[in-house]
Structure formats: C-alpha cells, structure tokens
Amino acid sequence: MEINEKFLKPYDPANTESKIYKLWEESGFFNPDNLLGNRKESYTIMMPPPNVTGVLHMGHALMITLEDIMIRYKRMQGYKTLWLPGTDHAAIATQSKVEKEIQKKEGKSRHDLGREEMLKRIKEFAQQSHDTIVSQVRVMGASCDWSREAFTLDEKRNLAVNTTFKKMYDDGLIYRGNRIVNWDPKGQTTISDDEIVYEERNSKLYTFKYSADFPISISTSRPETKVGDVAVAVHPDDTRYTEYIGKEYDLEFAGVPIHIKIIADKEVDPAFGTGALGVTPAHSMIDWEMADRHDLPRPQVINEYAKMTVGGENLLGKKVTDAREVIVSWLRENNLLEKEEDIKQNVSTAERTGGIVEPLPKLQWFINVNKPIPERGNKTLKDLMSEPLKENKIKIIPDYFSKTYFHWIDNLRDWCISRQIWYGHRVPVWYKDEEIYCGIEAPQGEGWKQDDDTLDTWFSSGMWTFSTLGWPEKTKDMDTFHPTDVLETGYEILFPWVARMILMTGYNLNTIPFHTVYLHGTVRDGQGRKMSKSLGNGIDPLDIAAKFGADAGRMALIVGTAPGTDSKISEDKIKGYKNFANKIWNITRFVLDNVDEKNFHPLPTSPLVNGEENSLIAEFKKVYEDITSDMENYRFHLASEKIYHYIWHRFADEIIEESKKIILEGSEKADERKTALVSIWTDCLKILHPFMPFVTEEIWSMLLIKDKNLLMVEKWPS
RNA sequence: GGGCGAUUAGCUCAGCUGGUUAGAGCGUCACAUUGACAUUGUGAAGGUCAGAGGUUCGAGUCCUCUAUCGCCCACCA
C-alpha cells in the first residue's frame, strides 16, 4: 500500500504536536456540549488551578498528564467529559512575589504605591503568569475545555465567595473576634496554621525566677515575652507546688510591674524544665487557651512590628531579639538566672515571606468549626469534613492518606480567614459608626466603609468544584457536572485544600465535591532531590516538549509512578519514550507498507477464518481488558507499562517479525495476517492514545479508515 | 512527642485480592543487521525480595519485633 512520505523520516514531535493540538481545539470536542453520540453519563474533573505566581513545573506536568489520561479514557468510553481549567490568584503568594520584585527593581514598598496602584501591578503580573501557564498546559496536550476556564478571583467566583460568606455570617459560623493569631511581621498580615513552616534552629532555654523572693523557677526560650506574664501554671498533681496554687504576687520584672497568679492546669508537663510554666496569654497559643480556662488578663507586650510595647528606655520599642538580650543580662545582673541550656527549637516561619511568626491577639474574622450549623442537627463544620470519608462517600487513593486526614481534622482549630493584604476577595462587610453590614453587595446609603481585609485564598478555592460551574446561579452545568468525579492533586495539599472543598461543598450544597481523590507524589530530579530554583535542578515542561516531545515527557512521568509516591525523572528516562514514539512511527510504516487497503474494511471484530490469527487477536484482547481494568482502578502506572511492553516487545519484536515471513514470502494466509495486523494495531493506537495523544492522533489521521473521526473521540476497545 | 510510608537486580522503580522457575527500564557484556526502525534486533550475566520470628499446603505479598531512611502533624514552655 502506498504510504505517506512522512514515514520515510523519523517521527518529529516538535512539528507535529502543535498542529495536532490545533486540530483538537478546532474540533470543539474539549467542550462536552459538542461531543457526538448519546452521552448520558457525565465525567468531570476540575483542574487544580495553578497559582499565578510564575511558570509550571514538572509537578504540574504530572498533574496535567494524569488528568488528561483520565479524561481522554472516559471520553473514548462515551462519557460526557468535562475537564475545566483555571488558575488561582494565590493571594499572599502572588502579592508577596510582586512586592519583592518592585522592592528590588524600584526600591518601593506597597505602601509607597498605594492600594490601587499595587493592585494594578499585581493584576498585570498575574495576567502574564496566567498566559504562560495556559500555553504550557496546551503544550502538554491537555484536552480541557477552555471555553469554561475560570479564575479564583474573577467576578463569578466573587459572587460565590460573598454568597458563602454572608450565609456563614448569618448562620453565626463566621465571627469577628479578638483572638490570638499567627502574625507575620514581615508580610504584615495574619496567616493560617497551614501557611506556617517550622524551621529547626539552635536556641537557648533559660531557667530563672521573676524575682529573688518568688518561690518558683520557670523556663523559657523567649524571656522577652515574660514581661507579659500573668500566671505560673503547674500540674495539679505536682506536689512540689501544691502549697502555692491560688496565691498571687505583685512583682517587678525587668522594670515592668507584673501580677502573677499560681494556677493548676493539667496541660502542664511536670517533667519538662522545672515543671512550672510562665503563662503569657497574648503571645502564646496554648497560654491563650489557658487564659480562657482560668479567666486571666491578656496584656499585649509585643506589637505588629515585633517590637516591645512596654518597659523603660532599655526595652520599649526594641525588637524582640534585642529585647531578649536585655532581659537575659538583667536576669544575670540580678542573680536570677539559674540555668542556660542549648536546645533545638522549631521556629514558626511564614511560608511566603520567611518572617518569624509572632503570635498576637488581633481583631480578625474566623470560621467556627465546632459550632452546630443551623438546621443541620448538631453537625459542625468539622463533622461535614469528616463524614463523607467515614461513610465512604469519598475515597482517597492511596487509601492510607485517609488516616492522616482524620488526624488533621481532630486537631483543627477555628480558621482565621482575614488577611491584611490587598490582593484577594475583600471581606464583604461594611462599617458605619457602630453599625456593621454583611452582604453580597455594598449597602445603600452614605458613609459605609468596607472592611480593608481580604480573605484567605483557600476560602475561594474551597468552592472550586461548584463556583466554576456557575453557583450560586442555578445552572445547567451544576445539574450536569456536580458532584465531580475525581479530584487529582498532590498529597501536600490534602489538608489545606481538599478538606476545605469538602467543607464548603457540604455546607453550601449539602453534598460532596467529588467521589474520588487521587493523590500524586512529588516529582524529583534524577538524584531524588526536590526540584527547586536554588538548586537549579528544575526541568521546564516546555523544554522537555521541545526536545523530546510532550508524549515522551508524559510517558516518563507516568510509567512506574504509583499513586501517592514520589518519583524521579531524568532526561534518560524521557529519551527512552522519545524512542518509543519513533518505534510506533516505524511500526505504522511497516504495517501500512505491507497491508492492502481492503484489510482496513471492515475491521474484524468477530472471528477470522484462520485459527492462528484469531489467537493473536484473542491474546491482545486479554491485554487490553487487563489494561482497562487498570484504568478503572487508577493504576495508570501499570496500564502505561503494559501497553508499552505489548507494543514493543510483543507486537513489534515477535508478531511483526513472524509476519514478515508470512507476508513477504507470500504465504497463503498472508491476507488474514494483514487484516489481523491492522486490527490489532488500530486498537493499540486507541489504547495508547490517553498516554501519548499526539503521536497516536497523527498516525490515526493517516490511516485509511472509512468514516473515522478524530482518535480522541474513537471508541475505547471492548 | 504523635502519625504515616519505604527498604525487591549495579542504578531507578513495578509487583493490584498471598499461588507455578521474582518483573520492567536504564546500565554492563557478547553477537547480529544493506528491507519498518542504529531512536535497532538476539542473547547473557546479575536478586538468600533489609534482618529475625510467626500464620499458611504455600509469603516479596498477611502478623509481630528490630534496624536504617523519608514524609506529615504538633509552639516541651
């Protein structure tokens, strides 16, 4: 048979892939509304929106590949498939990135620029970043519906955010309170517990007395906070201190008058240090809770700039680190310091700015996770987060992650949702004199001023599965595509994101956001190191696509990468799959070279005359049935390996080799063999398509099949 | 401190519900090849499945303990 002259040269991914992607887009089949046939069941994946803080890395490439595999597979199986792409404004991350750049280039701070100008700059940056991301996603071959693309900070998502905020506010679940929060002095904003990274640092533990006549010694690594102490807590069963419980002392500590009450609290560990704990309610989370239990005052001694707000000249206005030295030398001079030990300590730092987190009491907005929700029995938001997993309505793959999920929920505290940054959804609350108004839109009348704060970025991304479908409007998309099927994401955001999606969906819609959570691991370099800018070992998916082809990159990411486990990627591995693409190319060349047009029509689905050819087809049927079962069970790492192995080492190395004898030597069963080759090979292309969509589609376009459509909408063999 | 995971060929890893001589890719060695493909083919070497015990007719796979490594959570102040 005459073949396309393209086959005389090796496969050229660089020139093929962009052409094929265009073909797909023009077909309209990325959009489920345009899919042909009677597709009753929907299959939906919401793409985890990449942050608009820069470019995509290999982790994103893995995410896109996995989701594209799932979507393409289900599309070929006749589902109404929607894969909805989008990007995340990533509030703090984006703002602090732009702030840093402006500081570096122009030497200006955000306050020099002002809210409006700063926001303009951030939006410009976000737009650029968005455009880069979108082009990268296309290069990877993602068959997502661009017509429905969403952004976590656009108007539609804002309506969803404000609607939810108001509902929670009216239900008494969102409250404004003066509570201790994680304050980032560098970023000048509160941050949530999950935005903290602990860094182990060498530190000192000081053991001392407040004054010579005070009966109990205490230990601390932060002496400067001790001017804010209001109590000393001991364990109720600690006989060493029983006689002091309930006594009160007026003291002067480093020139600051303090009033100390001795209290008994079972949270105190009698074995640690002296077994007595100086209670500083305003600057320590557990001390704050202790103050709740014992009704203690909460004097603040450190401000938002991590500077002292009390004391004489030697202390007032000093940075906490300097104040620490002042206090320590004061203790020494007064013979109060009993012990000084070197210890390793976990210091809380802000994920985005690196600033050392200072616990401070602040007036902020919180979501109460322990309060019964009106008209939901006695259920709390915490219950909404754990129930779907307990009742097996949501399945996590691999399932051992469920255990850590419950552990996290158990330890959950009220969620601080307000941030003192400008880039984000503004808190939909307005103030006028003593009045407060919470609403979806600004109140009527003069003199209202909106809250300056914005919301934690996870507040809006928690609604991603339904805000993207038009909620709170009643849309056809909501009816058709929600709850979604799979949420595919990295295990590192199981808590901050997945849990909050379950919360937001349970609260707003009284249902689940998705049925299955598929977690992938971290993509590391060839030596097993995390890819990072500082190491310079990152691989840009665009470079891979240009050098080896997106298909090769996709296979290298998938084969052998089990769910939830980290994987290593190297150019050698990718190169191997570039060779595979070429192998497929040449197999096609051989097949087309040696068969006749009539072997294509009709494709045999029922027994061929000859027993041997029949058994080849039967053997392959077993292979793809096995692969189908892997696909159904999210074992893409096995499915991809199996089709690879079958094509190269069974079909090419053995079946084609023996076919040479039969066909080239003109055996009498040559015709049956040709038909069998065509039959198996066309099905191989279908099975391989979700993994290597470009090369398979390109080859498909050159096959002489009657009434064929794009391979992406061909029927999966069964 | 609590929790979770890993340990299989020189390297990187698969091995789904326990079932015949334990698999792949890369690497190594030997050979082959002017007819689909050197981005190739054929073949070989290479593993007491971390260690010890247990359950079972049968264990890389299940249980217990030990060792090493990794990750997550947690403000021993």
Side-chain angles (χ1 to χ4, degrees), chain A residues 700-712:
Chain A
W700 190 256
S701 73
M702 295 185 280
L703 299 183
L704 294 165
I705 297 171
K706 261 190 199 154
D707 304 323
K708 75 178 169 188
N709 212 319
L710 287 175
L711 179 55
M712 71 178 285

Side-chain angles (χ1 to χ4, degrees), chain A residues 17 36 40 156 347 360 491 526 551 688:
Chain A
E17 293 184 347
L36 307 170
K40 282 189 186 131
K156 283 186 177 168
V347 179
L360 288 179
Y491 58 67
D551 282 335
L688 187 60

Side-chain angles (χ1 to χ4, degrees), chain A residues 26-235:
Chain A
E26 284 165 0
S27 77
F29 292 144
F30 289 174
N31 182 339
D33 300 334
N34 298 332
L35 285 169
L36 307 170
N38 185 16
R39 293 167 187 257
K40 282 189 186 131
E41 277 186 77
S42 69
Y43 185 86
T44 311
I45 297 178
M46 296 300 165
M47 182 186 293
N51 292 350
V52 286
T53 46
V55 299
L56 299 189
H57 54 253
M58 289 311 275
H60 293 112
L62 174 61
M63 164 188 106
I64 288 161
T65 303
L66 280 164
E67 290 168 24
D68 196 43
I69 287 170
M70 297 184 212
I71 285 289
R72 284 182 187 273
Y73 168 67
K74 290 288 178 180
R75 191 185 291 119
M76 291 176 81
Q77 281 210 326
Y79 286 79
K80 197 174 169 73
T81 45
L82 170 63
W83 184 18
L84 195 150
T87 46
D88 191 328
H89 69 288
I92 292 183
T94 309
Q95 173 164 331
S96 65
K97 176 141 193 177
V98 176
E99 272 186 69
K100 269 183 209 162
E101 267 187 17
I102 292 175
Q103 187 68 49
K104 205 173 144 194
K105 282 187 194 153
E106 305 169 34
K108 286 181 181 167
S109 76
R110 66 163 138 148
H111 299 288
D112 296 332
L113 293 179
R115 188 163 190 151
E116 208 175 311
E117 174 64 15
M118 186 67 206
L119 276 175
K120 200 183 129 210
R121 300 284 197 98
I122 298 171
K123 278 178 191 163
E124 281 167 15
F125 174 86
Q127 184 61 46
Q128 266 180 22
S129 185
H130 161 272
D131 296 349
T132 309
I133 289 168
V134 164
S135 71
Q136 283 178 303
V137 172
R138 285 169 196 260
V139 166
M140 292 299 300
S143 60
C144 50
D145 182 5
W146 294 108
S147 74
R148 284 179 169 85
E149 190 191 345
F151 181 50
T152 55
L153 190 57
D154 58 20
E155 245 172 68
K156 283 186 177 168
R157 265 42 73 177
N158 186 248
L159 179 63
V161 162
N162 289 0
T163 304
T164 302
F165 189 101
K166 179 170 167 42
K167 189 163 176 247
M168 285 187 164
Y169 180 87
D170 292 344
D171 278 348
L173 299 170
I174 284 184
Y175 65 94
R176 197 180 192 211
N178 194 46
R179 297 192 52 210
I180 191 159
V181 294
N182 305 306
W183 178 260
D184 171 13
K186 209 169 170 185
Q188 286 293 302
T189 179
T190 52
I191 57 173
S192 69
D193 291 347
D194 348 271
E195 287 166 315
I196 290 177
V197 240
Y198 293 98
E199 274 181 31
E200 194 177 80
R201 292 194 188 170
N202 291 322
S203 173
K204 285 202 158 80
L205 184 68
Y206 303 94
T207 303
F208 65 94
K209 280 184 181 170
Y210 293 115
S211 69
D213 50 355
F214 190 75
I216 303 174
S217 305
I218 58 165
S219 299
T220 185
S221 60
R222 297 200 58 192
E224 75 280 10
T225 64
K226 298 287 104 179
V227 293
D229 279 14
V230 296
V232 164
V234 299
H235 194 273

Side-chain angles (χ1 to χ4, degrees), chain A residues 134 170 209 268 303 313 321 334 386 463 483 561 580 613 639 668 695:
Chain A
V134 164
D170 292 344
K209 280 184 181 170
V268 180
N303 67 13
E313 263 182 43
T321 41
N334 292 275
S386 55
M463 288 178 250
T561 304
F580 181 52
E613 269 59 50
E668 54 189 35
V695 66

Side-chain angles (χ1 to χ4, degrees), chain A residues 556-628:
Chain A
L557 284 165
I558 293 301
V559 177
T561 304
T565 59
D566 293 355
S567 59
K568 292 179 187 156
I569 191 137
S570 58
E571 292 213 344
D572 275 349
K573 190 174 180 187
I574 304 167
K575 202 175 151 194
Y577 293 105
K578 182 186 157 87
N579 295 352
F580 181 52
N582 194 55
K583 187 78 184 178
I584 294 161
W585 193 249
N586 281 295
I587 290 171
T588 309
R589 178 177 163 188
F590 175 87
V591 172
L592 294 184
D593 238 344
N594 289 287
V595 303
D596 308 308
E597 207 174 325
K598 64 174 182 175
N599 298 118
F600 277 95
H601 321 291
L603 288 178
T605 49
S606 52
L608 288 161
V609 260
N610 188 285
E612 196 180 320
E613 269 59 50
N614 225 346
S615 69
L616 288 180
I617 290 175
E619 177 204 355
F620 177 62
K621 190 169 171 19
K622 270 188 87 175
V623 171
Y624 71 66
E625 280 173 353
D626 192 23
I627 289 173
T628 303

Side-chain angles (χ1 to χ4, degrees), chain A residues 276-337:
Chain A
L277 160 68
V279 183
T280 325
H283 301 287
S284 154
M285 296 281 177
I286 46 166
D287 293 8
W288 178 272
E289 284 164 15
M290 232 176 250
D292 278 343
R293 289 194 289 272
H294 298 274
D295 198 21
L296 301 168
R298 304 149 199 256
Q300 186 174 341
V301 296
I302 297 168
N303 67 13
E304 285 79 0
Y305 302 96
K307 287 180 178 166
M308 305 303 294
T309 59
V310 294
E313 263 182 43
N314 59 337
L315 270 187
L316 189 65
K318 284 252 162 62
K319 278 190 186 166
V320 287
T321 41
D322 298 336
R324 184 171 307 165
E325 285 174 31
V326 172
I327 302 270
V328 170
S329 46
W330 178 84
L331 285 169
R332 261 196 214 108
E333 280 159 26
N334 292 275
N335 259 332
L336 295 168
L337 189 62

